[in-house]
Amino acid sequence: MWNTCKKILCIRADNMGDLIMTTPALKALKETFHCHLTVLTSTMAQHIAGFIPVIDDVIVSDLPWVKSNGAREGAGLIELANRLRGYAFDAAIIFTVYSQSALPAAMLTMMAGIPKRLAYCRENPYDLLTHWLPEKEPYSFIRHQVQRDLNLVAVTGATTNDDSLLVTVKDGDRHSTAYKLQQAGIDTSKEYVIFHPGVSEEKRKYSMDGWVELGKLVAGTGLPILLTGTAREGELTGPIATGIGDNALDMAGRLTTGEFIALTDGAAGIVSVNTVTIHIAAARKTPVIVLYALTNPQHTPWKVNGKIFPFNVDEGLQSKNEVIAYVRNHRMVQQPVLPRPAEIAQALENLLRESSYHEPIPPDTLILS
């Protein structure tokens, strides 16, 4: 019985955005079983875990079956399995997207002696999993990732009445963010707009010229435009800010994870590519405009006001994964034309004008019926 499980390991081993989308499922486990939740995640996602209050403990490891910069060798996996064994977990739940296999993680948790092991699986897992849901995505249907994860934990009996994303803001980060903005000459008593142009993959990129043109149009609103990103992405945000002019401020590399969440929380609206920013925005209910490269249609912003501008990925940058290719060719809305800056600016203006409320982005926006 799952209701006796008090120490549960949740494996979500990819990016920050993926971990954020899993938070409603984690919330369901915590509320149903009042258990101790440990999350095994990557170095890429670890920095957001401290802002998800239902997580009690974090184990960081870059696993070789998930894209990363520092995956473990075989001996490291044996060491990790032994480490997991020392926690004496009652159960493990493996969260995946439909193009991933849960079986490597299932083998790891079996080696760690974890008695209950749950995941989606396309193949017959035999003894690798004690509980499993047949993988029907994407050939039978496609769900939003949040719903997929909630349906997985429902096997255990876990439910929640609040399926919103969960990312908190800390008071210290609010104060330090306000201080940094004041030092940069931003009046924190007034609203501002965030542009987040940086991408983790080249195929999601919107052109620098497009960002500059968009910024010049948005500058007409009188709202400051703050460009955010990592220090490395300053090579992109700096020229964009310069191109826009005096109304734009480059903040790349100047904020911690917590400060970035606080900045997002205080924004009137955000324009971003499809990356972790849109999921932080959704968690904080900040309106968002997404320049959405058509890679994963199930990863749109969850239950937040906004608009999506989809565009196709260049053929040379498309994934070679056959599952993703099937979705791209048969199940996803196609949009060969890049969104024009004027269209984006108008959508942002409408969003800011109607920021009190309008319909959230539908979760199946990019999925063909």
Side-chain angles (χ1 to χ4, degrees):
M1 295 293 290
W2 285 88
N3 58 11
T4 63
C5 295
K6 297 304 177 186
K7 296 177 67 177
I8 298 178
L9 173 68
C10 294
I11 299 180
R12 175 83 270 182
D14 19 31
N15 295 313
M16 277 193 193
D18 300 290
L19 182 55
I20 293 172
M21 285 185 285
T22 305
T23 56
L26 299 178
K27 197 186 312 180
L29 291 168
K30 176 68 77 171
E31 291 174 2
T32 303
F33 301 127
H34 305 288
C35 55
H36 186 282
L37 284 184
T38 299
V39 169
L40 170 58
T41 195
S42 66
T43 54
M44 298 178 291
Q46 64 175 319
H47 301 294
I48 203 71
F51 302 91
I52 302 172
V54 293
I55 296 176
D56 298 298
D57 199 4
V58 180
I59 299 171
V60 179
S61 181
D62 290 324
L63 302 175
W65 52 89
V66 178
K67 184 178 179 180
S68 67
N69 296 323
R72 287 174 175 265
E73 300 293 336
L77 288 175
I78 294 172
E79 178 186 341
L80 177 59
N82 289 332
R83 181 183 175 192
L84 295 178
R85 183 181 291 274
Y87 282 81
F89 291 114
D90 300 313
I93 300 174
I94 302 163
F95 295 96
T96 56
V97 300
Y98 55 63
S99 57
Q100 296 173 332
S101 171
L103 294 183
M107 174 68 81
L108 176 68
T109 54
M110 185 181 185
M111 290 169 60
I114 301 175
K116 287 183 172 64
R117 303 177 297 277
L118 167 65
Y120 288 100
C121 194
R122 187 165 281 113
E123 308 88 341
N124 191 325
Y126 299 103
D127 291 338
L128 286 178
L129 293 172
T130 60
H131 299 74
W132 65 291
L133 286 178
E135 179 62 274
K136 296 184 179 182
E137 292 189 81
Y139 303 109
S140 298
F141 53 81
I142 299 176
R143 297 162 292 189
H144 195 282
Q145 186 68 43
V146 171
Q147 193 59 59
R148 172 182 171 88
D149 293 345
L150 284 168
N151 289 359
L152 180 63
V153 300
V155 170
T156 71
T159 61
T160 180
N161 292 324
D162 180 7
D163 65 357
S164 57
L165 303 184
L166 178 61
V167 174
T168 58
V169 178
K170 299 178 180 179
D171 288 341
D173 290 321
R174 287 191 194 279
H175 297 322
S176 59
T177 301
Y179 176 76
K180 289 182 178 181
L181 290 178
Q182 289 165 359
Q183 291 294 104
I186 300 295
D187 183 351
T188 55
S189 67
K190 297 181 179 179
E191 293 186 315
Y192 53 84
V193 173
I194 293 174
F195 281 9
H196 192 87
V199 293
S200 58
E201 301 173 299
E202 183 69 18
K203 59 189 174 185
R204 301 185 187 188
K205 188 175 181 179
Y206 188 70
S207 74
M208 183 181 296
D209 289 343
W211 280 106
V212 171
E213 185 178 347
L214 172 62
K216 288 180 177 179
L217 292 169
V218 173
T221 66
L223 294 179
I225 300 169
L226 309 183
L227 286 110
T228 58
T230 64
R232 177 178 55 83
E233 290 167 344
E235 297 176 0
L236 174 65
T237 57
I240 293 173
T242 300
I244 294 172
D246 293 341
N247 209 48
L249 176 66
D250 180 16
M251 296 290 290
R254 298 166 65 177
L255 302 170
T256 66
T257 299
E259 289 168 344
F260 179 76
I261 297 169
L263 189 76
T264 299
D265 197 47
I270 296 175
V271 184
S272 177
V273 292
N274 46 323
T275 187
V276 62
T277 306
I278 67 174
H279 304 301
I280 292 175
R284 300 308 307 168
K285 304 300 183 187
T286 302
V288 61
I289 302 288
V290 190
L291 312 183
Y292 203 108
L294 290 168
T295 53
N296 299 296
Q298 76 280 26
H299 290 170
T300 53
W302 179 254
K303 295 191 174 182
V304 65
N305 294 342
K307 185 175 178 61
I308 289 174
F309 286 93
F311 60 93
N312 286 351
V313 173
D314 289 343
E315 186 174 350
L317 298 174
Q318 292 174 357
S319 173
K320 297 179 181 179
N321 183 306
E322 282 296 317
V323 176
I324 294 176
Y326 171 83
V327 173
R328 180 175 63 244
N329 295 328
H330 301 286
R331 301 302 305 279
M332 199 184 321
V333 170
Q334 296 298 304
Q335 179 52 265
V337 180
L338 282 172
R340 294 179 301 166
E343 295 177 281
I344 301 165
Q346 185 61 59
L348 180 60
E349 182 181 337
N350 294 343
L351 190 64
L352 297 177
R353 187 188 309 123
E354 303 165 4
S355 60
S356 56
Y357 180 77
H358 65 281
E359 287 296 317
I361 300 170
D364 58 351
T365 300
L366 306 178
I367 300 168
L368 295 174
S369 57

